[in-house]
Amino acid sequence: MSKKAFRFGVVAAAEGGGAKWVETARRAEELGYSTLLSPDNLNLPSATIALGVAAAATTTLRVGSFVLASPLRTPRAAAWEAHSLTQLTDGRFELGLGTGLPTMKQQAEELGLPYGTGPERLDQVSETIDHVRRLDGTAHTPVMVAAGGPKARRLAAAKADVVTLAGGVLTTREEMAGYVDEVRTAAGERADAIEFALNLFVVGDEAPPWLSRFLGGLDVKTLVEQDSLTVLRGDVDAMAAELERRREELGVSYFSVNGAFLEEFAPLVERLSGK
């Protein structure tokens, strides 16, 4: 298994107005984060527009969707937006794709689009990637697939540049290692080219109350007791050692963190980025 250099992203929503969003983007760049990632749903400003604003306000920061939900656009429309961002950011855009949450069924209906079955939504992800590759020509939009099930992992193995391991909050290390092996085996000769990613929900010992909906109603104490990979805690030395362990055991080198921990996680970014 190849050992890729560490890089780090921060997941933040473009809430609170343009000035605050620009401030977040510039601060992420200043702190050395590789990527500013924006979630996608109808209750927030458009992810692709927000990412275009962030890219225009920075110079080296990459921007990415985390993740565009397939029910909210046709594959061709999603590819159009993605390719446009690749062109207008001079290649600083990364396209994250996923099948969307069950709660997005009503949002899809508001847009006049079918929510579709699980396989249909995954087919949309695949079609979007194909359209992006056709539009890009000699360019290349890095594609990240949020792979939460066997079929998604097979698709990611075949077509993604980055695979986000989207297990549950209590997915064990052994289970996660199995998912990585599954992707690498399916990827064949391109296995070493794939970058594996994990999203950290909590850095430290406390989580903002609004994060509870992402944690399945579990508190941080329970997650720590269950050795949840969504949590990173301890001092900087301990956290750095844990990230090294996850890279060694799982092959994960790209970690994203919730924007609530932008400053708290920054010492890890400074210490490990590019190493």
Side-chain angles (χ1 to χ4, degrees), residues 139-192:
H140 182 79
T141 301
V143 172
M144 174 178 69
V145 170
K151 292 180 180 179
R153 289 192 285 274
R154 287 196 293 272
L155 172 60
K159 297 186 178 183
D161 301 285
V162 183
V163 178
T164 291
L165 301 169
V169 294
L170 295 182
T171 299
T172 67
R173 291 175 190 264
E174 292 75 17
E175 289 170 331
M176 201 68 82
Y179 297 160
V180 172
D181 288 342
E182 186 181 335
V183 172
R184 289 181 58 82
T185 298
E189 293 182 355
R190 64 183 299 269
D192 285 345

Side-chain angles (χ1 to χ4, degrees), residues 144 162-166 195-199 251-256:
M144 174 178 69
V162 183
V163 178
T164 291
L165 301 169
E195 183 179 39
F196 288 94
L198 274 175
N199 184 39
V252 176
S253 57
Y254 182 20
F255 292 88
S256 55

Side-chain angles (χ1 to χ4, degrees), residues 1-269:
M1 183 186 300
S2 65
K3 183 180 288 188
K4 295 188 179 300
F6 282 113
R7 71 178 181 124
F8 302 97
V10 58
V11 183
E15 298 176 293
K20 183 178 179 181
W21 178 239
V22 166
E23 180 183 356
T24 297
R26 289 175 174 165
R27 185 57 176 158
E29 182 175 59
E30 181 182 359
L31 292 173
Y33 284 89
S34 167
T35 320
L36 176 62
L37 302 161
S38 177
D40 181 44
N41 69 68
L42 293 190
N43 299 317
L44 297 170
S46 163
T48 51
I49 291 175
L51 293 170
V53 170
T58 55
T59 56
T60 60
L61 184 71
R62 301 184 66 78
V63 296
S65 50
F66 196 78
V67 292
L68 288 193
S70 61
L72 302 186
R73 297 164 190 79
T74 65
R76 180 62 177 81
W80 175 37
E81 293 183 34
H83 178 66
S84 297
L85 274 170
T86 292
Q87 287 186 308
L88 297 176
T89 64
D90 294 325
R92 286 193 283 143
F93 174 67
E94 300 180 9
L95 173 61
L97 292 169
T99 56
L101 300 172
T103 54
M104 289 179 173
K105 182 176 182 179
Q106 181 179 349
Q107 295 186 23
E109 292 173 352
E110 287 183 45
L111 294 169
L113 296 170
Y115 180 70
T117 64
E120 288 171 339
R121 300 197 309 277
L122 194 60
D123 284 344
Q124 287 181 291
V125 171
S126 181
E127 290 175 30
T128 299
I129 297 172
D130 292 342
H131 281 304
V132 169
R133 296 295 179 236
R134 177 178 59 81
L135 291 172
D136 273 352
T138 58
H140 182 79
T141 301
V143 172
M144 174 178 69
V145 170
K151 292 180 180 179
R153 289 192 285 274
R154 287 196 293 272
L155 172 60
K159 297 186 178 183
D161 301 285
V162 183
V163 178
T164 291
L165 301 169
V169 294
L170 295 182
T171 299
T172 67
R173 291 175 190 264
E174 292 75 17
E175 289 170 331
M176 201 68 82
Y179 297 160
V180 172
D181 288 342
E182 186 181 335
V183 172
R184 289 181 58 82
T185 298
E189 293 182 355
R190 64 183 299 269
D192 285 345
I194 294 175
E195 183 179 39
F196 288 94
L198 274 175
N199 184 39
L200 303 173
F201 288 145
V202 181
V203 177
D205 297 314
E206 297 183 11
W210 54 265
L211 264 179
S212 63
R213 59 194 173 102
F214 297 104
L215 302 177
L218 301 173
D219 58 21
V220 175
K221 180 181 178 182
T222 302
L223 296 176
V224 170
E225 290 173 348
Q226 297 296 317
D227 191 29
S228 173
L229 292 171
T230 64
V231 177
L232 189 68
R233 60 194 294 271
D235 61 19
V236 173
D237 289 339
M239 289 192 287
E242 173 60 23
L243 293 182
E244 292 273 12
R245 177 187 177 189
R246 294 184 189 187
R247 181 170 65 173
E248 185 66 31
E249 294 180 353
L250 303 174
V252 176
S253 57
Y254 182 20
F255 292 88
S256 55
V257 64
N258 188 279
F261 304 104
L262 174 73
E263 299 289 342
E264 189 170 356
F265 193 73
L268 279 301
V269 176

